[in-house]
Amino acid sequence: REGEGPLWHCRMGRGRRQLPSGAALLLAFSGLAMLSHLRSIAGRGFPRLGRAAAPASSLPSSRAFSPNKAKTSPFSHLSTITRPAKSFSRCRGGRRYGDVCGRGGVAVRCLSSPSPLEGADPTQVELMREECILVDEADQVTGHASKYDTHLLKNINKGGALHRAFSVFLFDTKGRLLLQKRASEKITFPDTWTNTCCSHPLYRPEELEEGENHVGARRAACRKLDHELGISSASVNPDDLLFLTRILYKAPSDELWGEHEVDYILFCQKDLGDLDSMNPNEVSEVQYVTRDDLRSILDTRTMRMASGAVSPVKLTPWFEMIARSGLLFSWWDQLDEIVANKVNVLRLHLTDSLSNERETQALPDVEAREKIFDMGLFETVAAQ
């Protein structure tokens, strides 16, 4: 049936013939009865086609979000049946309009309130399916959840979305730090400048492995260096990345998205030459900066580009936090020692760095719970 008109039509052969009124009524009532039956089945939680219904006891208890998430998908808006909104705020399934509902294997979305992913870049939407590693504030693994679930601000505010991340700081042999500008297609923190590479270890065996100096996070970093910047493992491999410490922080991106991460800080010093294989869906620009360049960026929120033009810049909150805390400049001053002695130099100078080099500037939009921890020690980095 199309629309709300009174006529029912049946396509027979190549033509369309109007049924007699009695047959039309019989067909209509039969269709309504079938629809009612299907909806009653859906109300009892009829499983999706091709997916066996799992008993509640078999669902992972460590997962931070409702087991009902297993029956729905935030990505369904890409290929769903939609229907207009009604005057009341909740659908029959109890969800607010705009949410995606799983009913009898058919996803139904209300047109009045689009999904948070509506209009987003399809490649970036697909990446939101990746499973992040959920942890507690002691960085102990508690489960896993999609990048979508862990970055929704409403989930972050409810708690349980804390996950592992990494931040790579790659320097050339002149001591300059490579920065990247995140592409406008990015769902979180688009068009912002940040350190060389930032992303997440995924919930897979090779990236869950901790071992000596957190090899899982270093493997994940190499995967993303290749994906974002075209830096292959032949140029930078896990052994080239030095684990320094971990940062715990929380910050919003906008009214929908944010971050709550235990962020592994990884250093590397390499000469890479021209980065002509960057992924434009991830990175729009790159630039090397000196210590003085970065101090100027923090003071003026502008950057002098390679062309000589001066442009306003916005920084990611984790990068700004690490820079303004004084830790980055302290590590930068010790770069030669760090590279030569691996992480031992950090263990020798960590306390002095925290006590002597820290700045006390408040950071906007960053929760005052940033901590740095290494060797089991927790200390505040930035206070608001």
Side-chain angles (χ1 to χ4, degrees):
R1 184 184 181 190
E2 298 178 0
E4 299 295 332
L7 294 180
W8 287 80
H9 295 274
C10 177
R11 184 175 295 277
M12 304 174 65
R14 295 189 178 180
R16 177 181 281 187
R17 302 177 185 177
Q18 184 171 340
L19 296 176
S21 58
L25 288 174
L26 179 61
L27 180 61
F29 282 120
S30 298
L32 289 173
M34 179 62 72
L35 178 61
S36 176
H37 176 63
L38 291 175
R39 294 181 69 176
S40 69
I41 291 175
R44 293 195 296 268
F46 191 75
R48 287 188 179 187
L49 182 64
R51 177 183 297 176
S57 61
S58 70
L59 292 170
S61 59
S62 61
R63 193 174 177 91
F65 305 101
S66 168
N68 290 334
K69 291 286 185 181
K71 298 191 299 182
T72 65
S73 170
F75 312 99
S76 299
H77 75 281
L78 296 176
S79 58
T80 64
I81 299 171
T82 59
R83 65 182 179 192
K86 297 184 179 179
S87 58
F88 48 89
S89 62
R90 288 187 179 271
C91 68
R92 290 173 183 165
R95 297 176 183 267
R96 279 178 289 195
Y97 277 105
D99 290 343
V100 179
C101 306
R103 304 257 279 253
V106 178
V108 182
R109 178 176 57 80
C110 176
L111 288 173
S112 67
S113 181
S115 160
L117 294 174
E118 187 77 22
D121 177 79
T123 301
Q124 292 296 324
V125 168
E126 186 63 27
L127 291 172
M128 296 298 268
R129 299 178 187 268
E130 294 179 335
E131 290 288 306
C132 294
I133 303 169
L134 296 176
V135 295
D136 59 21
E137 290 194 359
D139 194 27
Q140 298 301 304
V141 177
T142 61
H144 59 95
S146 71
K147 191 186 294 186
Y148 174 90
D149 280 334
T150 54
H151 290 78
L152 272 177
L153 199 56
K154 64 180 183 180
N155 290 341
I156 293 172
N157 291 334
K158 286 189 296 186
L162 179 62
H163 56 280
R164 280 182 183 164
F166 62 80
S167 288
V168 176
F169 293 77
L170 191 150
F171 302 83
D172 65 10
T173 53
K174 296 178 181 178
R176 299 178 303 171
L177 173 62
L178 179 63
L179 303 185
Q180 66 151 281
K181 184 178 181 182
R182 293 164 64 89
S184 58
E185 289 85 356
K186 299 287 282 186
I187 292 171
T188 58
F189 304 98
D191 298 314
T192 53
W193 283 88
T194 192
N195 48 285
T196 311
C197 182
C198 328
S199 191
H200 311 87
L202 299 182
Y203 194 81
R204 52 178 65 164
E206 65 272 19
E207 295 183 12
L208 277 164
E209 185 177 344
E210 296 180 358
E212 185 178 358
N213 294 326
H214 307 281
V215 65
R218 291 185 287 120
R219 287 171 180 156
C222 289
R223 171 176 56 82
K224 290 301 290 185
L225 282 168
D226 191 5
H227 175 233
E228 294 186 2
L229 296 165
I231 301 173
S232 70
S233 58
S235 298
V236 176
N237 63 61
D239 290 337
D240 294 322
L241 296 169
L242 309 176
F243 167 74
L244 266 65
T245 189
R246 294 165 288 185
I247 301 290
L248 171 63
Y249 78 97
K250 181 192 290 186
S253 174
D254 52 32
E255 69 279 2
L256 291 175
W257 306 102
E259 288 283 12
H260 191 196
E261 297 180 331
V262 172
D263 191 13
Y264 285 59
I265 307 302
L266 305 173
F267 265 37
C268 179
Q269 188 171 34
K270 283 268 185 173
D271 283 329
L272 298 175
D274 294 332
L275 297 174
D276 52 6
S277 299
M278 292 190 307
N279 182 349
N281 191 257
E282 294 284 334
V283 179
S284 60
E285 297 179 61
V286 293
Q287 179 145 326
Y288 282 98
V289 297
T290 65
R291 296 177 186 80
D292 290 341
D293 291 336
L294 183 55
R295 288 192 176 98
S296 176
I297 291 168
L298 293 172
D299 290 341
T300 66
R301 295 195 176 274
T302 62
M303 180 188 296
R304 183 172 296 278
M305 304 300 173
S307 64
V310 176
S311 299
V313 297
K314 184 177 180 180
L315 304 176
T316 58
W318 61 88
F319 178 53
E320 182 169 1
M321 179 192 73
I322 294 168
R324 288 193 183 278
S325 72
L327 287 169
L328 176 56
F329 291 106
S330 176
W331 296 332
W332 207 331
D333 290 339
Q334 303 172 64
L335 179 61
D336 292 340
E337 295 177 80
I338 290 174
V339 171
N341 300 288
K342 305 298 183 182
V343 296
N344 293 334
V345 67
L346 174 69
R347 298 183 185 278
L348 291 172
H349 297 289
L350 177 62
T351 303
D352 291 339
S353 297
L354 285 169
S355 60
N356 298 330
E357 301 293 337
R358 178 166 54 214
E359 297 179 6
T360 58
Q361 294 174 276
L363 302 181
D365 299 327
V366 179
E367 184 175 306
R369 295 178 61 228
E370 296 85 16
K371 299 172 185 176
I372 181 171
F373 51 102
D374 197 19
M375 302 176 291
L377 301 176
F378 290 73
E379 297 207 33
T380 301
V381 169
Q384 189 167 2

